Amino acid sequence: MALEQVLLLPVIGNKFFYLTLSTSKKLVLNLIKSKDSFYSFSSKSFKLKKENTSVLSKKNWDKINLIDTNNDFLLLPSKLPDFLKNIDIDKTIGINSKSIKKVEKVNNIGLSFFYSENSLTKKANNINHIGKIILNELLKNKLKSKELYVLTIHNKIFMCLVENNKLLFYNQFEFKGSNYIKYIILLFDEYKLDRNKTTINLLNESLNKEELKKFFSNIYLYKKSIFEIIDEYYG
């Protein structure tokens, strides 16, 4: 759906924790959030390793950055159309009244997300939604043609369609096996994208390129992995 139509984007599903050491000289801990699991990864190998919460106390961290991948978020233009100004959109997605709301901006887009406060969020110096980090990177690309960016983490796919620094679509969905392809096909159909010409950029190597090539012709690894994007975002 187009940005003006992207009002309600919650999708029920699992969450994840990922951990990485920043490239900064300081001891910076970047975490991608899940319910009760942690995974570390190497910015060189991109392999995931399950950790436990003791990692938080293994070192005296200078900074802890928390990246939330939950589906309790909304994307809206910074300037709302008149018919939306008097509507409390937050209530339409059934957010827990105790949830904390954070609003982040990228270009002319407002991304609102909701999270529950716990011991980890209290320790975090920064809390951001993964969508903000992805959009912050991809909206810098000045390409006149439409290009699709795809990220998968376990059984969740994140998709972002961009044209000339403008966001046309962003959303995330749960999938099983190879049925993630249906979401990409539906997006191509909705935006009348040419499967032989439109470029698909992968933000990690978790998808099978040969499987994708059965349906799409132009598939490339993006110049940075999602892990490098996260590291650069926090410096």
Side-chain angles (χ1 to χ4, degrees):
M1 59 186 73
L3 176 58
E4 289 77 7
Q5 299 171 303
V6 179
L7 304 179
L8 310 178
L9 300 180
V11 184
I12 303 301
N14 296 327
K15 302 174 184 177
F16 330 103
F17 265 111
Y18 287 88
L19 171 155
T20 180
L21 298 186
S22 168
T23 54
S24 167
K25 292 182 180 180
K26 293 184 177 180
L27 285 175
V28 178
L29 182 62
N30 294 331
L31 298 167
I32 300 181
K33 180 186 174 188
S34 181
K35 291 181 179 179
D36 53 9
S37 298
F38 293 87
Y39 294 84
S40 63
F41 65 83
S42 164
S43 294
K44 294 182 179 180
S45 67
F46 308 137
K47 292 182 179 180
L48 305 175
K49 178 185 176 183
K50 191 170 185 178
E51 305 278 3
N52 56 50
T53 54
S54 65
V55 71
L56 296 173
S57 57
K58 283 183 178 178
K59 295 184 179 181
N60 187 20
W61 303 107
D62 293 303
K63 185 181 289 186
I64 297 176
N65 301 311
L66 182 62
I67 302 103
D68 205 324
T69 63
N70 75 46
N71 300 302
D72 296 331
F73 72 94
L74 296 167
L75 277 175
L76 294 168
S78 295
K79 294 184 179 180
L80 290 176
D82 290 338
F83 76 95
L84 286 177
K85 289 180 179 179
N86 296 320
I87 299 176
D88 188 349
I89 300 175
D90 295 355
K91 291 183 178 180
T92 65
I93 58 176
I95 298 300
N96 187 311
S97 60
K98 295 182 179 180
S99 295
I100 297 173
K101 178 180 179 179
K102 182 171 183 180
V103 180
E104 305 187 290
K105 290 187 178 181
V106 186
N107 294 4
N108 63 339
I109 303 163
L111 188 156
S112 302
F113 72 100
F114 305 81
Y115 64 92
S116 299
E117 188 174 58
N118 53 43
S119 58
L120 178 58
T121 59
K122 289 179 180 179
K123 290 182 180 180
N125 301 93
N126 296 298
I127 301 175
N128 302 100
H129 194 274
I130 193 170
K132 162 70 184 306
I133 296 172
I134 291 173
L135 295 180
N136 184 73
E137 167 67 25
L138 301 183
L139 294 182
K140 297 175 184 176
N141 296 331
K142 297 180 180 180
L143 300 172
K144 293 183 178 180
S145 60
K146 296 181 179 71
E147 293 204 5
L148 178 63
Y149 300 84
V150 177
L151 165 67
T152 55
I153 301 176
H154 286 184
N155 64 331
K156 182 176 282 190
I157 183 170
F158 304 79
M159 300 193 300
C160 181
L161 183 64
V162 176
E163 180 181 28
N164 195 25
N165 296 85
K166 293 183 179 180
L167 176 65
L168 301 180
F169 177 93
Y170 174 86
N171 212 340
Q172 50 194 60
F173 306 95
E174 302 298 322
F175 69 90
K176 292 182 179 181
S178 61
N179 76 353
Y180 66 88
I181 293 175
K182 73 178 180 182
Y183 294 113
I184 303 176
I185 291 175
L186 287 170
L187 185 61
F188 266 68
D189 290 345
E190 183 173 349
Y191 284 88
K192 296 179 173 57
L193 305 176
D194 190 328
R195 294 194 197 181
N196 293 316
K197 295 181 179 179
T198 302
T199 297
I200 297 177
N201 299 283
L202 305 179
L203 301 185
N204 62 358
E205 299 185 50
S206 60
L207 292 181
N208 187 326
K209 288 179 67 175
E210 295 306 314
E211 189 173 55
L212 283 170
K213 285 180 179 178
K214 295 176 183 177
F215 303 90
F216 311 99
S217 297
N218 292 331
I219 304 166
Y220 303 96
L221 282 174
Y222 185 58
K223 59 186 178 182
K224 304 174 189 175
S225 74
I226 184 60
F227 310 119
E228 293 169 313
I229 292 170
I230 291 171
D231 280 348
E232 288 185 14
Y233 181 82
Y234 290 113

